[in-house]
Amino acid sequence: MPNLIISQTDDGLQAYIAKKDLELAVASLEFQQADRWGGNIILADGSEFYIEPLSEAPSLPKTLRARRAG
Amino acid sequence: MSMDKQTTQAMIDEVLEVYPEKAQKDRAKHLAVNETNGEGKCITSNRKSQPGVMTARGCAYAGSKGVVWGPIKDMIHISHGPVGCGQYSRAGRRNYYTGYTGVNAFGTMNFTSDFQERDIVFGGDKKLSTIIDELETLFPLAKGYSIQSECPVGLIGDDIEAVAKTKKAEIGKTLVPVRCEGFRGVSQSLGHHIANDTLRDYVLDGTDPEAAQAEAGEYDVAIIGDYNIGGDAWSSRILLEEIGLNVVAQWSGDGTLTELENTPKVKLNLVHCYRSMNYICRHMEEKFGIPWLEYNLFGPTKCEESLRAIAAKFDEKIQAKAEEVIARYRAEWQPIIDKYKPRLQGKKVMLYVGGLRPRHVIGAYEDLGMEIVGTGYEFAHNDDYAKTTPEVKDATLLFDDATGFELEFFAEKLKPDLIGAGVKEKYIFQKMGIPFRQMHSWDYSGPYHGYDGFAIFARDMDMTLNNPCWDKLTPPWKQEKDSEAAAA
C-alpha cells in the first residue's frame, strides 16, 4: 500500500511515490469527475496503481493510499 | 566545439568497455547523450552504486546532519556514534551564520557522543542522555537538540526516540531524534528525505501555526533549501527584500528554530535546492496550502527570469519593484560581463556536482560565453534529469553517479577547459593540469548567488581558468603524444 501524493502541475497531474522517492507524470486516471475521483492510475513509466475512488474530487496536492494493480 | 550525438555516444560506448558484462549493463543506463526534444532515453538515477567503483556519493548522515540540519545555527546537532563522522565533516561546508559560536550559535562546532566499545556492547542511550544534560549546563542558550544517528546506532538498535521523549519532557526544548544512519539508502539523498520528515514531525507538527510568534504579512516568503554556503542565502535574501518581499525564514542556512516554526504562515515557499527540501514543501503545500516555486539566482539571465517569476506570484507593486531592481542591477553586471566574457568566451566546462548545481549554474556560465560539454549529478532523481535536459545543448554528455574512472576518461576525451566538481575530484584534475573549481562549497570563495555573487563567480572562474600555473603542467594525454612524437 504505497502512498501517492497527487498534485497538479502545468503539464497535468503528477504523482510522487513517497517510498521510492520518485516523481512521475500521471498518464491516465480512471475517474476524474467532480463526484467520483480515483480508480486505476497509470504513471509515465507504465506502473499501475489503484486508488479507492473518492466521492468528491480532492483539493490537490493530496496524499492517497494506493494499491498496486496490473 | 559543437558536439554531435554519434561522437558522444561513441565516447560512452568506449568508457563502458572496461567494465565486466554485468557492471557494463548497469552503468550504460546511467550515461546518456542529451536530447533537448526529450526523446532521448531516460537516464537511470538514484540506484545503488556498483561495488568496486569509486563513487563520489555521501551517506544518509551526510545528507541529514551535513546538509539539512547542520546549518540551523541555534540548535545543537549531536553526532551520535563514533567521533569521526562529525569531526571530519565539521565546518567543511562553510554554512555561514551570524551569532556567537559556543554561546547562541553552534554551526561550526562538533558535538559527538564518541562511541567506545562499551557503548556498542551496552548501548549508547545512557550516554546520550548524559550528553544532553551536559550540553544543557554548558550551552544554556541552545534552543534545541537534534540527535543525528551514525551507523552503529542503527546496528545495535538504540532507542534514541525514547531518550528524546524523556529528555524533552525534562528540559522542555525541541529534541529531534533523526534516524539518518549512514547505511540507509543509496546516497545522501535519503538523508535529506529523513531529515525533512523529522522537520515535519518534530518541528512543524509540534507547533500551532496560529500561535506562531510572528505576525503574518502579505509578502511573507521563506527561502527553502539555501544553505548559505559562503553567504549565498544572504546575497539572495537582499534581492528578495529589494523587490518588496519579507523573508521570514531561511531553511536552513543561517536559520533558527523559531524561523522554522514560523514558516507555516508564509504566502510562498521559494525553493532553491529542490532535491534536498522538496519533501517539506510538499508537506506544507498539502497541510498549510502554501504554494512553492523553484528559483535560480545564478547569473544575471537566470536572476532576471527568477525575480520576474517570483514577482508574478504577487501583486503589481512587487512586479513593478522587481523590474526596477532588474534595471538597476543591469548597470552593475554589464561591466562584469564586458570585462570577463572576452577572457572566458568559448571555454568548455564539465560539471559533476550534487543536487541542483549541475543545471542551475549553467546559466551563469553561459552568461560568460562558456559552454557546458558534460554535466552530471551524484545523487539526483529522475525529475532532476527531466529539468536538466532543456537546460543543456543537444549531444551534451549526461552522467549519473559517475565513477572516478569515467570522470577521468571523459575529461581526457572532452578536454574541458574547466571542471567544476567536488573536493574528491579536485586534486586529481588539478594534477592532470585541468583548471578546477570545487563547486560544492565554492572553493573557499562565494557567495555565487544573486548579482553580487555573479561578480565573484566571474572573477573566480577567470582567476582559475586564466591562471598561468596551468601552463607549467602537462596533462597525461599530451605527455604521451610528446613521447610518441619523439619515438617517431
Side-chain angles (χ1 to χ4, degrees), chain A:
Chain A
M1 295 282 277
N3 267 340
L4 292 187
I5 303 180
I6 312 282
S7 51
Q8 186 73 50
T9 66
D10 297 338
D11 317 314
L13 290 177
Q14 193 196 48
Y16 170 73
I17 310 168
K19 183 86 184 166
K20 286 188 178 169
D21 211 342
L22 188 65
E23 270 172 43
L24 287 167
V26 174
S28 81
L29 179 65
E30 198 177 356
F31 306 113
Q32 284 202 61
Q33 294 96 303
D35 58 341
R36 194 165 157 81
W37 198 96
N40 263 327
I41 178 167
I42 301 172
L43 305 183
D45 69 342
S47 54
E48 275 185 66
F49 293 94
Y50 179 79
I51 298 169
E52 200 58 48
L54 306 168
S55 55
E56 56 179 309
S59 75
L60 301 173
K62 177 95 182 152
T63 306
L64 296 159
R65 299 287 274 173
R67 211 169 58 216
R68 232 169 243 116

Side-chain angles (χ1 to χ4, degrees), chain A residues 5 7 14 16 18-24 60-63, chain B residues 46 189-190 193 274-275 278-279 282 285-286 381-383 387:
Chain A
I5 303 180
S7 51
Q14 193 196 48
Y16 170 73
K19 183 86 184 166
K20 286 188 178 169
D21 211 342
L22 188 65
E23 270 172 43
L24 287 167
L60 301 173
K62 177 95 182 152
T63 306
Chain B
N46 199 30
S189 187
L190 188 72
H193 198 158
Y274 180 81
R275 184 72 278 128
N278 72 76
Y279 316 101
R282 251 180 243 285
E285 188 181 25
E286 193 174 340
H381 296 198
N382 64 339
D383 50 287
K387 285 171 194 159

